[in-house]
Amino acid sequence: MTIERSAWPFGDDQARPRVDGARLKLTVAKKYLESALRKAISPGGVTGVVMALLFIVVTDAFLMLTKYIQELPPVSLTFLIPVVVAAMRWGTLSATVTAIGGAGTVSLFYYNPFYITGPDSRSRVLGIIAFFTVSLVLGYLASKTRSDTARALRRENEIRDLYTFSQRISAANSPAGIFEAMQQHLETLVGRKVLLFDSLGTLEAKSDRLGDVEIPAAVTEAVSTMAAAGADGPKNIVVDDHRGSAWLVRPVSTNTADFGIIAVDLGRPSEVFDELRARVIALIGDAGLSLERLGLARTISEARTREETEQFREALIGSVSHELRTPLSSILGASTVLSLAPEITGNSRLKKLAALIHQESERLNVEIQNILDASRISSNGLQTKLEWAEPADFINAALQRCRNRLTNRVVDVTLPEELVLLRIDSVLMERALGQILDNAAKYSPSESPISVRGHIESGQFVISVADKGAGLDPEDRTLLGQKFFRGSRQAQVTSGLGLGFWIASAFIAANNGSIDATSEGANKGMTVTVRLPLPMRENHEGYDGQGSVALADEAEPSRV
Amino acid sequence: MTDGDQHVLVVDDEAQIRQFVRAGMELGGYRVTEATNGSDALREITLHPIDLVILDLALPDIDGSELLERIRGWSGVPVIILSVRAGETEKVKLLELGADDYVVKPFFMSELLARAKVVLRRQSERKDGESALRLDRLVIDFAARTVELDGKRLNLTPKEYRLLQVLAQHPGKVITHQNLLKSVWGQAHVNNTQYLRIFVRKLRQKIEVDPNRPKILLTELGVGYRLSDPASRDQTRLD
């Protein structure tokens, strides 16, 4: 602790470091004793002392044994091993006891304390003191390392919890999700059943450990009292739930009401109850601070806004779909009645006009449907109902839907002879393929052929739709998957919103498939390829992938 | 176009829809009565001999599917549902509740007329109690349990025959996957859609010219299957 004179950079003022060094020594000693005393009364302390004594005996036995075999110079250093081990394992008290015991036995075995007056008695006493000091300091340092390690471990766990928590928060897209994550985080921290209410006293998240048990009325009451009182209200309420448990109710943070109110089940009141309560309050306080640091208040309010926007959007889409489609239904229906009426079918000019109304309202209907689909995709409202289905079924349905656009065209359809079963939502697939066929028809000359080919290729069912149309400029290809994209030349000659390919991609992705478009270049036609996963054979009960069937069919005698 | 003067009840709260449906149905040769809500519709069905009900699901006083259930409580009158809700689950539910068919808005009048024709024809056949069904090149004789294609007897396995029989009991009507599975394989297998896919394929290989482009045993995506009805072949669909 003393500092070499030459190393002291501040001139002649030599007194200071020494005084400081002495003070430091004193503080260390005081701290050391304090912590040793504290440890001694704890249950772990007794084990430590017992183990320390045991250690000394073992080390002594070892030294005596070696002395028997071979006379050795004093090896007091050997005692440092049990001191360090005791300090690392059981803490300061154990280390101290080992140090004292070690020093005692060293003096007994090697220096004979009854004859310390001798020619080198001075060096012997100094040796014992030196040993004792060294082992004390070493013990203190080792036990400090031990507690530092423990603290680091605890902090690491806390950080891990906090990290899991913040990941959960970023994944949550509604206030309810955030409260759910907060509840779980607080529950992990506190280690007891936890209920979390928002600042208005509405239950937001409930402990899983609580099961289906009702929330105690006393707790709900205390929460609403606290919510009503706001910032001026009581900070802690302890209530009895009349089921043998006491609950602590308090705001998660004392600085903001945004994090809501927490209710913690403290269990049966006992003598350590006050201590437990104080610990839980401290933990909640810490948790509240870390929630503030995470900027959670803003996250919650953003989530609220997002939820409101989402609701507004849903309402808008709902009303668009209703308000636009209702009159459209009448127009389309009425136009089809007109095309049936003899007065009109007999007059070629009127017949053409009726057909025009019919076609255009149908087109409008398709565009409205596309907008609705697009908004469903954007808002993640796409729900798939995956079922075993034959690709031929949705391919035929898509061709049927597009048949008005495909009149006067040769559509060459090639499908495998054998039965192919896919795990798909065939309604979504039909819509996706409909979009692809519609694009093929839209962007190719009205009488050019279109081919639709389905085949199995390396564990996938591949559908390719090829046209002989405008194709795609290489620079447009990367843009194809984008919403509202339309090829630069296509945009000038054909109408449409450019949602088709984007919708098809989303629908196909929802079926775990992929879509790709290739073109040799402008005016060389385009091939759109859809790949859908073929399910593993063992997942098909009774289907071996070759079209033959392992289902019992001939069990009853055939009368047919 | 129809035999006699068949009476159709159009139940919809929107005047525009009633207006063109009335015009279209009258062009098709039907007599039309309109109702704007559920209770009026119930009264009409009780008081008059109605042959067909065209029912919109969104009614001001009572939900359309509930009205359908009530009608089915005492009457077998054919019901075609009009709906803006195009979900497959919704369609399955309506069919199980006893709807004969459904048409999703917006729709073509020709489609509604075609469906009405099929439903009414099925109804009159049911009264006649025919023991054989002729579908184009296919003849199913229920009494003899035989199936002929172009005059040649087909060799069907019992399950294939049962599947065809269930569909042929209501030609033109969509039979849901669940109903088919229940009738052919039993209650325990209502979710084994793959059985159905496999047997439909086998049946199609026997009765269709090209099983990949079926003309007789038709798929209703996400809902079920139906046998084509000669009367509905020219129908147009938009949903």
Side-chain angles (χ1 to χ4, degrees):
Chain A
M1 296 289 162
T2 51
I3 291 169
E4 288 282 352
R5 206 178 164 178
S6 55
W8 184 250
F10 306 113
D12 289 328
D13 188 5
Q14 305 170 15
R16 271 194 71 146
R18 268 194 211 117
V19 172
D20 271 3
R23 245 185 225 157
L24 192 61
K25 248 185 191 161
L26 253 172
T27 340
V28 169
K30 203 176 150 214
K31 266 195 175 170
Y32 184 81
L33 275 173
E34 269 175 8
S35 84
L37 271 170
R38 213 170 38 241
K39 294 276 165 55
I41 38 169
S42 70
V46 179
T47 326
V49 171
V50 172
M51 290 309 289
L53 294 173
L54 209 71
F55 248 128
I56 296 162
V57 173
V58 170
T59 319
D60 282 342
F62 174 75
L63 283 177
M64 278 169 82
L65 206 70
T66 47
K67 199 179 170 190
Y68 222 65
I69 299 163
Q70 171 89 51
E71 187 68 41
L72 290 170
V75 274
S76 51
L77 278 178
T78 320
F79 278 96
L80 290 179
I81 298 172
V83 170
V84 172
V85 172
M88 294 296 280
R89 190 78 184 74
W90 296 284
T92 326
L93 177 71
S94 180
T96 317
V97 173
T98 321
I100 296 169
T105 45
V106 164
S107 54
L108 258 179
F109 277 90
Y110 297 99
Y111 305 119
N112 194 349
F114 307 108
Y115 301 102
I116 45 170
T117 51
D120 39 348
S121 63
R122 204 176 128 83
S123 78
R124 282 177 190 168
V125 172
L126 276 177
I128 292 170
I129 291 171
F131 168 78
F132 186 62
T133 319
V134 166
S135 54
L136 272 187
V137 171
L138 208 63
Y140 173 74
L141 290 176
S143 82
K144 196 167 173 302
T145 314
R146 170 177 171 264
S147 60
D148 282 353
T149 316
R151 200 175 304 135
L153 265 173
R154 206 166 48 238
R155 203 167 299 153
E156 194 189 312
N157 280 335
E158 275 167 17
I159 287 171
R160 197 184 301 132
D161 284 348
L162 210 58
Y163 178 67
T164 324
F165 172 60
S166 63
Q167 271 186 326
R168 281 250 235 4
I169 294 285
S170 49
N173 49 10
S174 67
I178 295 175
F179 273 104
E180 181 93 12
M182 268 165 69
Q183 179 264 327
Q184 286 181 8
H185 176 63
L186 293 169
E187 192 165 77
T188 321
L189 270 181
V190 178
R192 310 200 71 89
K193 290 175 200 163
V194 156
L195 294 170
L196 196 59
F197 302 81
D198 71 6
S199 51
L200 302 172
T202 320
L203 181 70
E204 288 281 359
K206 192 175 110 184
S207 169
D208 291 336
R209 301 187 208 179
L210 208 59
D212 289 330
V213 181
E214 257 178 70
I215 292 138
V219 171
T220 329
E221 210 173 289
V223 169
S224 41
T225 316
M226 193 169 278
D232 310 322
K235 286 290 166 253
N236 290 301
I237 305 179
V238 174
V239 290
D240 184 359
D241 69 353
H242 302 295
R243 282 186 218 136
S245 270
W247 289 73
L248 169 75
V249 178
R250 66 170 274 131
V252 175
S253 162
T254 41
N255 300 328
T256 166
D258 287 327
F259 305 147
I261 297 163
I262 186 174
V264 183
D265 180 3
L266 295 178
R268 207 172 287 279
S270 63
E271 57 271 26
V272 291
F273 185 77
D274 282 338
E275 200 186 314
L276 176 68
R277 192 182 58 176
R279 195 169 63 89
V280 168
I281 290 176
L283 282 170
I284 296 172
D286 283 353
L289 283 177
S290 54
L291 293 183
E292 278 171 48
R293 273 201 299 276
L294 283 176
L296 206 61
R298 213 185 60 213
T299 318
I300 293 176
S301 81
E302 274 170 3
R304 285 226 166 87
T305 320
R306 212 161 42 232
E307 199 172 60
E308 277 161 16
T309 318
E310 197 54 45
Q311 279 163 1
F312 174 70
R313 204 235 292 252
E314 287 298 310
L316 190 68
I317 291 165
S319 79
V320 163
S321 100
H322 189 257
E323 297 309 322
L324 293 184
R325 282 198 135 176
T326 308
L328 188 65
S329 292
S330 310
I331 297 171
L332 194 65
S335 76
T336 55
V337 176
L338 286 181
S339 354
L340 293 174
E343 296 89 330
I344 303 225
T345 46
N347 182 326
S348 65
R349 217 170 357 154
L350 291 181
K351 194 179 165 187
K352 268 185 199 153
L353 285 178
L356 184 70
I357 302 172
H358 180 155
Q359 274 166 23
E360 293 302 292
S361 49
E362 200 185 339
R363 212 178 87 193
L364 196 55
N365 182 43
V366 168
E367 294 298 353
I368 292 174
Q369 183 61 51
N370 282 353
I371 294 171
L372 288 175
D373 282 344
S375 80
R376 245 170 80 206
I377 294 164
S378 313
S379 63
N380 291 323
L382 208 56
Q383 281 173 0
T384 47
K385 198 177 149 211
L386 300 183
E387 270 187 332
W388 293 111
E390 246 190 288
D393 281 343
F394 75 77
I395 293 173
N396 286 331
L399 287 165
Q400 176 74 6
R401 181 199 288 273
C402 299
R403 75 194 174 288
N404 284 346
R405 266 196 184 278
L406 298 173
T407 38
N408 302 326
R409 265 179 209 272
V410 177
V411 181
D412 175 32
V413 183
T414 323
L415 293 173
E417 285 297 314
E418 74 270 17
L419 171 65
V420 178
L421 282 185
L422 301 173
R423 194 91 178 123
I424 49 165
D425 184 321
S426 41
V427 177
L428 281 188
M429 279 312 302
E430 182 251 348
R431 299 260 286 281
L433 198 64
Q435 296 282 5
I436 296 168
L437 285 168
D438 196 58
N439 274 343
K442 220 192 254 179
Y443 300 124
S444 64
S446 62
E447 283 178 20
S448 63
I450 291 177
S451 87
V452 179
R453 197 164 160 260
H455 67 282
I456 292 174
E457 190 186 291
S458 53
Q460 287 175 317
F461 188 73
V462 181
I463 306 163
S464 45
V465 178
D467 65 46
K468 303 238 179 277
L472 206 59
D473 293 332
E475 62 266 30
D476 280 348
R477 197 180 163 230
T478 46
L479 301 172
L480 186 63
Q482 291 178 7
K483 207 173 176 179
F484 299 114
F485 163 76
R486 308 188 59 222
S488 36
R489 281 165 305 107
Q490 284 90 330
Q492 294 159 17
V493 289
T494 337
S495 65
L497 288 174
L499 281 170
F501 194 85
W502 186 77
I503 291 172
S505 312
F507 282 2
I508 288 163
N511 280 285
N512 306 316
S514 64
I515 185 171
D516 189 28
T518 47
S519 176
E520 299 280 301
N523 296 316
K524 289 197 174 143
M526 177 146 98
T527 305
V528 175
T529 311
V530 175
R531 290 167 201 276
L532 292 166
L534 267 183
M536 301 297 280
R537 209 175 274 184
E538 53 264 35
N539 296 341
H540 285 226
E541 197 191 329
Y543 172 62
D544 64 2
Q546 306 298 315
S548 59
V549 165
L551 287 176
D553 187 27
E554 317 305 331
E556 39 187 312
S558 171
R559 287 178 55 200
V560 183
Chain B
M1 271 173 96
T2 50
D3 0 310
D5 207 15
Q6 287 181 307
H7 197 167
V8 178
L9 176 69
V10 179
V11 191
D12 199 315
D13 67 329
E14 283 172 65
Q16 295 89 332
I17 302 279
R18 287 201 309 273
Q19 202 181 336
F20 86 77
V21 172
R22 171 190 275 277
M25 293 313 278
E26 282 175 351
L27 267 176
Y30 299 93
R31 200 148 60 82
V32 177
T33 303
E34 294 176 25
T36 54
N37 56 49
S39 41
D40 281 3
L42 274 175
R43 201 178 50 241
E44 287 295 334
I45 299 168
T46 333
L47 294 179
H48 303 108
I50 300 287
D51 296 297
L52 171 67
V53 180
I54 295 173
L55 174 63
D56 187 283
L57 274 191
L59 293 177
D61 56 340
I62 173 174
D63 184 62
S65 52
E66 200 189 321
L67 182 62
L68 172 65
E69 248 182 311
R70 279 207 220 166
I71 295 171
R72 278 290 167 268
W74 50 271
S75 167
V77 60
V79 176
I80 296 178
I81 301 285
L82 295 185
S83 166
V84 279
R85 288 171 257 175
E88 275 58 42
T89 336
E90 179 88 11
K91 290 177 186 170
V92 168
K93 191 185 128 209
L94 291 166
L95 289 169
E96 312 254 297
L97 279 178
D100 291 81
D101 212 337
Y102 53 79
V103 175
V104 178
K105 284 181 184 174
F107 58 90
F108 296 172
M109 196 61 220
S110 49
E111 182 191 355
L112 183 59
L113 279 169
R115 304 250 174 157
K117 200 167 159 187
V118 172
V119 166
L120 284 166
R121 210 183 71 143
R122 207 189 299 150
Q123 184 75 0
S124 62
E125 270 168 9
R126 208 174 290 162
K127 282 171 193 154
D128 300 348
E130 272 183 51
S131 67
L133 177 76
R134 177 178 293 274
L135 286 168
D136 227 358
R137 304 149 53 227
L138 196 73
V139 179
I140 306 164
D141 188 329
F142 297 122
R145 290 172 66 95
T146 57
V147 181
E148 281 179 9
L149 184 74
D150 293 330
K152 266 184 266 167
R153 211 163 126 173
L154 287 180
N155 205 4
L156 298 188
T157 69
K159 284 214 159 57
E160 286 165 4
Y161 176 74
R162 180 79 186 122
L163 184 62
L164 189 59
Q165 187 197 24
V166 175
L167 287 164
Q169 275 160 2
H170 312 278
K173 181 174 176 178
V174 180
I175 314 291
T176 61
H177 294 142
Q178 283 81 355
N179 260 342
L180 286 169
L181 282 160
K182 200 158 73 184
S183 310
V184 180
W185 283 273
Q187 183 68 47
H189 296 287
V190 283
N191 290 319
N192 294 343
T193 343
Q194 75 272 33
Y195 291 9
L196 197 56
R197 302 289 183 208
I198 293 161
F199 276 81
V200 163
R201 181 74 183 193
K202 287 172 77 180
L203 202 51
R204 277 177 177 164
Q205 276 162 350
K206 292 183 183 175
I207 64 174
E208 302 279 1
V209 180
D210 178 0
N212 278 329
R213 304 298 304 264
K215 300 273 180 261
I216 300 170
L217 205 173
L218 305 175
T219 303
E220 200 72 5
L221 280 190
V223 181
Y225 290 96
R226 68 191 164 96
L227 284 193
S228 73
D229 188 284
S232 67
R233 220 176 320 143
D234 57 350
Q235 69 168 281
T236 46
R237 297 179 52 80
L238 179 83
D239 56 333

